[in-house]
Amino acid sequence: MDTTAAAFRFDNTYARELEGFSVPWKPAAAPAPALLFLNRPLAAELGLDPAALDGPAGAALFAGNTLPEGAEPVAQVYAGHQFGGFSPQLGDGRALLLGEVIDTFGHRRDLAFKGSGRTPFSRGGDGRAAVGPMLREVLIGEAMHALGIPTTRALAVAATGEPVMRETGMLPGAVLTRVAASHIRVGTFQFFAARGDEARVRALADYTIARHDPALAGTPDRHAGLLRAVARRQARLVAQWMNVGFIHGVMNTDNMTLSGETIDYGPCAFVEAYDPGAVFSSIDHAGRYALSNQPLIARWNLARLAETLLPLLGEDAEGAIARATEIIDAFPGWYAADLLEGRRAKLGLLRPDPADEALAADWLSLLHAGSVDFTSAWRRLGAAAAGDDAPVRALFPDPLAPAAWLARWRVRCADEDGASGGAPGEPGPAAGTSAGALPGIARAARMNAVNPNVIPRNHRVEEALAAASDEGRLEPFERLLDALRRPFDDVPGLAAFAEPAPAAVTAGYRTYCGT
């Protein structure tokens, strides 16, 4: 028996309990597997021995040539609205759910391949993936995790030794192993609802509740409770995206999970020069998934989920619609509250004030008007909190442009600090420190703990992926990954990764879905 394979603790409820939701399938064999990346901290979290996964045994496992004991690979079926148009059957066209692993915290985690070959749902595709897009999932997913944003994560990437044909020519092939709280999507519900299969919609809803919202299990109002819980998770998630300037790029309903994790890092990017209308995806011609549209699309997707649940919300159709509508209509308020809570933290504020929303909005308007780098501006605002305006002023074409706003912000900070010289719960001044200086220093420290110094700068990501894909050099990828795992650190070794790209590069940047 392969000891590496035996280390996985599988308990595959999706395949076991949901008949008709997937098709048993095997990954395609890779002719020359080689391990490009292993997420050692995540492997340990899953109860695995990272050392046992290195070398040929790990390469064969993560390329799909050998399966761990207990794995039951299946291709999941789902539907989805893609750019607003409904596709009644999508499914795992190049992915396989290997099974569910119980991690060291007792949490159930999906383990899935991406790029492991054709399935019954491939729809003419080759089922393969290229090295570049799979390593991109590593970089963005690990960055999001380090930023504290719920996300799927990459456990491993293995080169297959077999090229794949894409529009740009032949590219080296790879398989990604992804870990998720689950792969249950809005589109999973849509597949069965579109076929009028109420029994399977109900079975899926109850399974999802048991897995993600067990407190609702068996309660009379559990299905409305599920919709509400999913909406709350999505409100928090999208608010977090917006507060770091992340653009998902393809918010189709098959890319929205009920667990509230970010999934499918295809044509995604982080905004640099702030623009609410920013779109980087080469396929989003109308800007449907632009930065500022993300909360609107999240609500739209949730409405599609609500439609699938209507038969479960009561026998009275009008009453069911009213209950679903009430939840969907509550989403903007939940999102706005989550967004403002995050923005207040980014501004270094602890107490709510009715004027905070306008204060944050006016700051963003200044950034937009000056085409100022979003991440750098928030980060340098920490220096301003400590008394040094020069770094943030230097970002603006007119250094005087933020003067009035900075003065207004300082008044707000002073009002919060009050005469005591500190926010609630903060220590008094140390010996030799003025009472007036301490609140600013403490505020700067709080701000630097939520305003990242390093994000996946688009040009840095592309440089790392090109080196790995075109030249077989992983060092740039590894250096960038190390920086992304420390987003709030401010040390000389990270300075290059914190610098924005030249404006000419940013203006012409495009992302691709990677299929």
Side-chain angles (χ1 to χ4, degrees):
M1 180 186 298
D2 185 290
T3 56
T4 299
F8 290 80
R9 298 186 297 169
F10 281 105
D11 178 34
N12 306 323
T13 60
Y14 194 91
R16 185 170 68 239
E17 298 177 13
L18 295 176
E19 183 181 350
F21 286 73
S22 58
V23 176
W25 207 254
K26 300 293 184 185
L35 193 61
L36 302 180
F37 165 75
L38 175 64
N39 193 331
R40 292 173 173 271
L42 181 56
E45 196 174 296
L46 295 173
L48 306 174
D49 177 7
L53 296 172
D54 271 336
L61 187 150
F62 292 121
N65 285 12
T66 62
L67 289 174
E69 181 181 341
E72 299 179 75
V74 298
Q76 295 174 292
V77 65
Y78 46 84
H81 277 89
Q82 299 190 311
F83 289 89
F86 185 61
S87 296
Q89 179 167 306
L90 297 172
D92 287 336
R94 58 170 178 162
L96 290 175
L97 174 63
L98 295 182
E100 302 149 35
V101 175
I102 308 301
D103 68 16
T104 55
F105 303 104
H107 299 149
R108 184 176 298 276
R109 315 278 287 275
D110 274 4
L111 207 65
F113 280 158
K114 184 174 182 178
S116 52
R118 287 180 52 80
T119 78
F121 309 120
S122 293
R123 307 183 305 280
D126 62 10
R128 305 288 187 174
V131 164
M134 297 305 95
L135 291 180
R136 183 184 183 85
E137 289 231 4
V138 176
L139 293 173
I140 308 300
E142 288 302 284
M144 296 288 269
H145 177 70
L147 290 167
I149 299 174
T151 180
T152 59
R153 296 177 68 190
L155 175 60
V157 175
T160 62
E162 185 173 44
V164 295
M165 174 62 78
R166 295 296 182 262
E167 290 182 2
T168 55
M170 300 298 286
L171 300 173
V175 176
L176 170 82
T177 303
R178 180 165 65 193
V179 176
S182 82
H183 285 79
I184 303 167
R185 313 160 187 260
V186 172
T188 316
F189 283 82
Q190 288 182 294
F191 179 86
F192 297 101
R195 288 155 178 78
D197 195 339
E198 182 182 327
R200 283 199 168 100
V201 172
R202 184 181 298 275
L204 179 61
D206 288 340
Y207 174 86
T208 304
I209 288 168
R211 186 156 176 178
H212 293 300
D213 298 287
L216 295 173
T219 62
D221 205 29
R222 63 188 181 278
H223 299 119
L226 173 63
L227 179 60
R228 186 178 295 106
V230 173
R232 288 296 292 116
R233 285 194 282 269
Q234 288 296 329
R236 286 190 293 270
L237 178 66
V238 177
Q240 288 178 286
W241 289 357
M242 298 296 286
N243 276 328
V244 295
F246 174 74
I247 304 172
H248 185 280
V250 61
M251 289 179 65
N252 298 332
T253 57
D254 56 298
N255 289 337
M256 177 182 273
T257 64
L258 272 72
S259 66
E261 288 183 311
T262 315
I263 192 171
D264 283 342
Y265 293 108
C268 61
F270 283 72
V271 70
E272 298 207 20
Y274 179 65
D275 178 3
V279 175
F280 295 108
S281 170
S282 64
I283 57 176
D284 191 1
H285 305 296
R288 176 181 175 86
Y289 300 138
L291 176 64
S292 62
N293 282 348
Q294 292 185 135
L296 305 176
I297 293 297
R299 184 188 183 192
W300 191 90
N301 288 351
L302 289 165
R304 306 289 78 76
L305 174 64
E307 289 168 353
T308 71
L309 296 176
L310 287 178
L312 311 185
L313 300 184
E315 296 182 1
D316 172 41
E318 289 188 8
I321 292 171
R323 297 180 74 196
T325 301
E326 180 183 4
I327 294 169
I328 300 304
D329 285 349
F331 175 84
W334 293 330
Y335 164 77
D338 290 332
L339 183 71
L340 183 56
E341 180 182 0
R343 286 182 175 174
R344 189 176 284 121
K346 290 172 76 68
L347 291 168
L349 303 170
L350 295 174
R351 297 191 185 102
D353 184 279
D356 289 346
E357 186 173 2
L359 184 69
D362 290 346
W363 172 243
L364 293 178
S365 294
L366 278 171
L367 302 188
H368 187 203
S371 296
V372 175
D373 184 78
F374 180 83
T375 301
S376 300
W378 283 108
R379 181 71 178 190
R380 295 189 188 186
L381 202 55
D388 185 3
D389 290 358
V392 72
R393 287 177 182 269
L395 292 170
F396 287 80
D398 175 6
L400 297 179
W405 184 91
L406 288 169
R408 180 174 148 207
W409 170 58
R410 285 207 166 93
V411 169
R412 169 70 177 91
C413 293
D415 287 345
E416 177 171 277
D417 295 339
S420 65
E426 291 182 345
T433 304
S434 72
L438 183 64
I441 295 171
R443 175 168 285 108
R446 291 199 309 272
M447 293 170 70
N448 287 345
V450 295
N451 290 321
N453 182 45
V454 175
I455 59 165
R457 295 282 182 183
N458 301 319
H459 65 302
R460 293 294 181 190
V461 171
E462 296 303 332
E463 288 171 358
L465 300 187
S469 181
D470 300 344
E471 305 168 31
R473 293 191 302 114
L474 289 172
E475 293 86 355
F477 163 82
E478 291 164 351
R479 288 196 300 271
L480 177 57
L481 178 61
D482 179 63
L484 294 175
R485 283 173 161 168
R486 299 185 288 157
F488 303 107
D489 290 359
D490 192 0
V491 295
L494 300 181
F497 298 106
E499 288 298 315
V505 173
T506 301
Y509 184 68
R510 291 292 177 269
T511 57
Y512 301 86
C513 65
T515 56

